[in-house]
Amino acid sequence: MNFLFAWRYFKSKKSTNAINIIAYISVIAITVGAAALIIVLSVFNGFESLVKNLYSDFYADIKISPAKGQILQLNSQQLNTIKTNANIAAFTFVVEEKALLKNGNNQATVLVKGVDTNYAAITNIAKHVVHGSFDVGTAHQPEIVMGAGIENATGIFLEQVLEKPVLFLPNKSAVKLNNLNDAFLSYNVMPTGTFVVQQEFDNKYIFTNKAFMQFMLNLDSSQYSYSEIKLKTNTDKEAAKTATLLQKNLGENFIVQTRYEQNKSLYSIMKMEKWIIYGILSLILIVAAFNMIGALTMLVLEKQKDIAILKAMGANNNTIKNIFINNGIILAMIGSLTGIALATIICWLQVKFKLLKLGGSFVVDYYPVEIRWQDFILVLVTVFVIALLASYLPARKASKQILSLKS
């Protein structure tokens, strides 16, 4: 009954045209605010998914590293714990170390990952190779796959290699360091591929043979830097469950991290930025709420005789208050649903036709967009709460008025 009265008041023609104008301005403001929220949140979702996909191609689902020191060594029982886990599809070991890659007069500080043939089953880095192939060679003939940033910094271009570049690694077995040469071991390596993921990786990493790295760093065949694991089911819940189980079985001497935990600061910043933007854009809806207060206040003045009649017929203060609260909610819902529809159309056009382009050099040349139903619910709830608060003051004022039919 209250809603029917509110709907009738919304549709009916007002004696003062300004009431209609302010009401329409409120609806338009809410439409713009809701549409802006959906569009911006969808763009953030698109960038978030893009970054996560890139990180998932480079980082493994789970990483096991030593809690102390830099060397990971697992006994047969610990290895069996990994092998018998039902959710583990594959695992491998990695030897990682900082090094210097030199090509003539050009050089770059790099992070070398020594991997084996199983590594292609752990991550999707091989699909990002743009020149050559993902071939790390053997222990006696090591080859390197480098990021595009390192290729440019060192001038190592696959089609123009005249002599093998030199890889300098720290000499872990050195007892006395009489000169600089004693601190490093060098080896000529052949470049076989170049990958492009994103600058953070492209300017930092190269891949080579794991056995070669163990030899250069004076490690035996059972010593590594860390282990990387590929899961059969890699939902956040399953990854966390598997990591917790491995941590329990392996003990406190090891650190077991999911992909999220390996990049916790990045994901936390991305979420924080999204909520900050949500808060800023919600101000548009708060501004619309002031228009709504004005429209409802004027409507209360317009409908004073109706209020008196309703009270004479037995309506109490709560009934009157609910009628005007519902009127405010109608204004808000019309605006929000229209805004959501408009935003959905705009997002679909962006996904379909890539209308808005990104300037500069990036992984994609357009704004990525991903619509999520959770954002629709968030916007609807936000609009509903703001409308409820904005409608309460005029509605309460209407319910408290003492009116007479003779007035």
Side-chain angles (χ1 to χ4, degrees):
M1 180 66 72
N2 296 338
F3 182 82
L4 292 176
F5 274 107
W7 179 248
R8 187 176 182 86
Y9 286 169
F10 173 76
K11 293 195 305 177
S12 63
K13 188 176 180 181
K14 317 303 189 292
S15 61
T16 305
N17 197 38
I19 300 176
N20 291 326
I21 293 173
I22 296 174
Y24 293 147
I25 290 173
S26 300
V27 171
I28 292 171
I30 293 170
T31 298
V32 171
L37 269 174
I38 293 293
I39 292 170
V40 174
L41 291 176
S42 297
V43 171
F44 264 87
N45 294 338
F47 276 112
E48 181 182 351
S49 295
L50 178 64
V51 170
K52 283 184 176 180
N53 287 335
L54 292 175
Y55 271 67
S56 66
D57 286 344
F58 194 88
Y59 287 97
D61 297 337
I62 287 179
K63 176 182 177 182
I64 301 175
S65 54
K68 296 180 180 179
Q70 297 180 329
I71 297 177
L72 174 73
Q73 195 162 13
L74 300 175
N75 58 38
S76 57
Q77 183 180 356
Q78 291 163 339
L79 279 172
N80 192 54
T81 295
I82 300 174
K83 291 177 182 178
T84 55
N85 190 292
N87 196 33
I88 293 179
F91 71 96
T92 189
F93 294 97
V94 177
V95 177
E96 185 175 287
E97 185 59 69
K98 285 185 177 180
L100 180 70
L101 183 63
K102 189 172 183 180
N103 179 42
N105 295 325
N106 300 320
Q107 62 184 35
T109 303
V110 297
L111 199 58
V112 188
K113 293 187 72 167
V115 300
D116 57 20
T117 54
N118 292 333
Y119 194 74
I122 304 300
T123 69
N124 294 321
I125 185 64
K127 79 176 186 180
H128 291 278
V129 174
V130 293
H131 300 125
S133 60
F134 191 83
D135 185 0
V136 295
T138 64
H140 303 292
Q141 292 183 329
E143 297 172 339
I144 61 170
V145 181
M146 56 191 164
I150 295 171
E151 180 186 58
N152 293 329
T154 57
I156 304 172
F157 301 104
L158 299 185
E159 64 276 6
Q160 300 174 5
V161 175
L162 299 178
E163 59 179 287
K164 293 181 180 180
V166 183
L167 185 66
F168 291 88
L169 287 157
N171 186 359
K172 297 293 180 95
S173 60
V175 179
K176 293 182 179 181
L177 301 177
N178 296 321
N179 54 60
L180 191 61
N181 292 331
D182 292 336
F184 295 95
L185 296 174
S186 62
Y187 207 98
N188 294 91
V189 290
M190 185 67 186
T192 57
T194 304
F195 64 84
V196 175
V197 181
Q198 60 166 305
Q199 285 187 349
E200 180 183 351
F201 307 133
D202 302 344
N203 298 339
K204 184 177 180 181
Y205 285 95
I206 68 172
F207 292 86
T208 190
N209 184 269
K210 180 178 70 178
F212 161 70
M213 288 290 290
Q214 287 175 319
F215 169 74
M216 293 292 285
L217 298 175
N218 198 32
L219 302 176
D220 62 43
S221 58
S222 64
Q223 293 179 316
Y224 317 94
S225 299
Y226 51 83
S227 175
E228 293 189 329
I229 295 173
K230 175 75 172 179
L231 299 179
K232 294 177 182 177
T233 305
N234 188 31
T235 61
D236 292 341
K237 184 177 179 180
E238 283 297 325
K241 181 180 177 182
T242 304
T244 301
L245 183 61
L246 287 173
Q247 184 70 74
K248 180 181 178 181
N249 292 335
L250 292 175
E252 60 183 13
N253 292 328
F254 302 91
I255 299 173
V256 183
Q257 296 173 305
T258 62
R259 186 184 296 118
Y260 170 79
E261 291 169 333
Q262 293 175 59
N263 304 281
K264 193 172 183 178
S265 59
L266 171 71
Y267 293 146
S268 297
I269 289 172
M270 288 174 65
K271 285 185 177 180
M272 183 176 66
E273 286 178 341
K274 184 175 178 180
W275 283 110
I276 290 173
I277 291 297
Y278 161 77
I280 293 172
L281 291 178
S282 293
L283 292 175
I284 300 175
L285 298 175
I286 294 174
V287 171
F290 285 105
N291 288 326
M292 189 185 302
I293 291 172
L296 291 176
T297 301
M298 293 183 71
L299 183 62
V300 169
L301 296 174
E302 169 84 12
K303 300 298 181 182
Q304 284 186 346
K305 288 187 177 181
D306 289 18
I307 295 171
I309 293 171
L310 288 171
K311 285 192 172 183
M313 294 174 62
N316 57 29
N317 288 344
N318 283 334
T319 302
I320 303 300
K321 182 172 66 176
N322 290 334
I323 288 172
F324 288 97
I325 287 177
N326 284 329
N327 196 276
I329 291 173
I330 288 171
L331 287 173
M333 289 300 107
I334 290 175
S336 61
L337 292 175
T338 305
I340 287 173
L342 180 62
T344 302
I345 293 171
I346 293 173
C347 290
W348 179 84
L349 290 172
Q350 176 64 13
V351 171
K352 188 75 174 177
F353 301 106
K354 315 294 189 295
L355 300 176
L356 293 177
K357 301 294 183 180
L358 274 170
S361 176
F362 197 62
V363 179
V364 293
D365 61 353
Y366 60 91
Y367 282 93
V369 173
E370 181 181 325
I371 300 174
R372 296 178 184 172
W373 62 268
Q374 295 95 328
D375 293 335
F376 291 156
I377 295 176
L378 176 64
V379 171
L380 286 172
V381 170
T382 302
V383 172
F384 180 82
V385 171
I386 291 175
L388 199 62
L389 294 174
S391 304
Y392 181 79
L393 290 176
R396 185 172 179 273
K397 182 179 178 182
S399 66
K400 296 295 184 181
Q401 285 183 345
I402 301 175
L403 300 170
S404 172
L405 291 175
K406 294 181 181 181
S407 59

